[in-house]
Amino acid sequence: MRLATRADGSRDGALVVVSEDGARFLPAPAPCRTLQMALDAWAEAEPMLRALEERLAVGEGDGLDASALLAPLPRAWQWLDGSAFPTHGELMQRAFNSPPHDGDRPLMYQGLSHRFLSATEDVRLPSETDGIDFEGEFGVIVDDVPMGCSASDALARIRLVVLINDWSLRTIAPVEMKTGFGWIQAKPACSMAPFAVTPDTLGQAWRDGRVCLPLHVEVNGMWFGNPNGDAMAYGFHELIAHAAYSRDLPAGTVIGSGTVSNPDHERVGSTCLAERRAIEMIAHGGPQTPFLSFGDRVTMTAGPFGKLDQRLAQTGSA
């Protein structure tokens, strides 16, 4: 099942079920008018949404205007982002001669969740000197997860899978990291691809809590990378269990995989500029690829999630 949120003038938009080809939609019934409402009562909402999916499969529905879509979940209770691809961390450590991650615990931080950008709106940021970067990653949206939930039980708590661009400001990040208090300015709002899908929609591409699909990234129309999401050291169920060790996770919590990265990066490329620059530092002694400038366009696609297609613009510009 493929879900989306249409703009209707409200902060949370209106939930719709979308046809398999992404061309048609039917609005969700009143008890699950928004995606958060559906997640809050998933056991009751899912059968109603599945019924709409069946109607779409036989040709019902109105034409879908992708430009009228918000992020599937325009705002969330929590955004917890992992770093589950070892190659990405290893490359960054080598490039900056930093100590390796010590221990067998997943890396994770809590980021901005009160707004997720839509797949097509301009990304407005203050300054090019901040080192503007994109990060392609997969994410899951969970049902209520009790504190202490095991990884095996957490798999059944995953309701939806999404594609995310986690925007980053690279020159601010190291300054904030040195304070020991974490990121604030370095992590602006993320973007979500237009469609959130149930795990069964991915078929064989959903295995062991991982999205086993290539994530295709282009910058200004030029190929940048297509690494596969199957290389996670920790599956999403393990990331959820880690996050829920000492807290409940409310329905609607979004868990990110971190930057998708593969060991054969020379062949498949990368999903963020920082990794490309780290590879160049290792090979040539210094980075060659610049960070983004205003007017640059970044696109990302993977399987059934639809396309992220966004242009960078300066805050306050027309």
Side-chain angles (χ1 to χ4, degrees):
M1 181 167 55
R2 186 183 294 196
L3 303 178
T5 293
R6 297 181 74 222
D8 66 352
S10 70
R11 289 187 174 187
D12 297 306
L15 179 63
V16 299
V17 183
V18 180
S19 60
E20 187 175 355
D21 62 3
R24 290 169 290 110
F25 77 94
L26 286 169
C32 44
R33 185 179 59 80
T34 69
L35 181 52
Q36 185 61 55
M37 292 172 66
L39 291 163
D40 285 338
W42 189 256
E44 294 77 28
E46 184 180 18
M48 292 187 281
L49 299 175
R50 293 284 185 183
L52 297 178
E53 181 186 31
E54 292 175 4
R55 289 171 55 188
L56 287 162
V58 296
E60 290 190 45
D62 298 321
L64 182 67
D65 177 7
S67 66
L69 296 179
L70 304 176
L73 192 61
R75 53 178 177 167
W77 289 110
Q78 284 191 106
W79 158 237
L80 304 174
D81 196 15
S83 182
F85 291 88
T87 298
H88 179 72
E90 291 163 3
L91 286 168
M92 301 302 285
Q93 288 160 9
R94 286 180 60 193
F96 294 98
N97 195 30
S98 56
H101 172 53
D102 186 18
D104 57 358
R105 294 160 56 86
L107 294 170
M108 185 175 287
Y109 74 93
Q110 185 162 348
L112 180 160
S113 63
H114 65 266
R115 186 185 180 207
F116 284 89
L117 304 177
S118 79
T120 56
E121 68 181 293
D122 287 351
V123 179
R124 298 189 178 278
L125 294 168
S127 174
E128 293 176 341
T129 62
D130 292 333
I132 303 170
D133 197 359
F134 52 86
E135 293 186 62
E137 54 185 277
F138 296 107
V140 296
I141 304 175
V142 302
D143 200 348
D144 288 306
V145 178
M147 182 169 59
C149 182
S150 68
S152 57
D153 289 342
L155 198 60
R157 303 282 178 168
I158 296 171
R159 295 293 171 242
L160 297 166
V161 188
V162 292
L163 172 62
I164 294 170
N165 187 345
D166 176 25
W167 297 96
S168 297
L169 303 180
R170 297 297 189 184
T171 59
I172 297 176
V175 177
E176 292 191 321
M177 289 174 69
K178 288 178 182 177
T179 68
F181 274 75
W183 289 312
I184 294 294
Q185 294 180 345
K187 287 292 184 178
C190 301
S191 306
M192 271 191 195
F195 306 129
V197 305
T198 49
D200 61 282
T201 302
L202 296 172
Q204 291 302 308
W206 177 250
R207 298 194 300 273
D208 195 24
R210 293 161 170 82
V211 181
C212 303
L213 290 171
L215 200 171
H216 297 269
V217 180
E218 292 185 357
V219 179
N220 295 325
M222 302 294 291
W223 176 87
F224 194 86
N226 60 333
N228 200 294
D230 61 3
M232 291 173 72
Y234 299 95
F236 278 110
H237 54 307
E238 294 166 307
L239 294 179
I240 293 166
H242 174 75
Y245 173 76
S246 60
R247 67 172 83 177
D248 299 331
L249 305 180
T253 295
V254 186
I255 308 282
S257 68
T259 306
V260 177
S261 180
N262 290 175
D264 56 342
H265 50 79
E266 291 185 359
R267 180 178 66 86
V268 300
S270 301
T271 63
C272 77
L273 289 164
E275 182 173 300
R276 169 75 67 83
R277 287 164 61 90
I279 293 167
E280 293 167 347
M281 290 170 68
I282 294 166
H284 309 295
Q288 300 175 345
T289 301
F291 288 117
L292 297 174
S293 300
F294 296 132
D296 286 344
R297 189 170 224 99
V298 179
T299 63
M300 296 184 183
T301 56
F305 302 104
K307 179 185 281 190
L308 277 160
D309 185 357
Q310 294 180 286
R311 184 182 68 92
L312 280 168
Q314 189 168 23
T315 304
S317 62

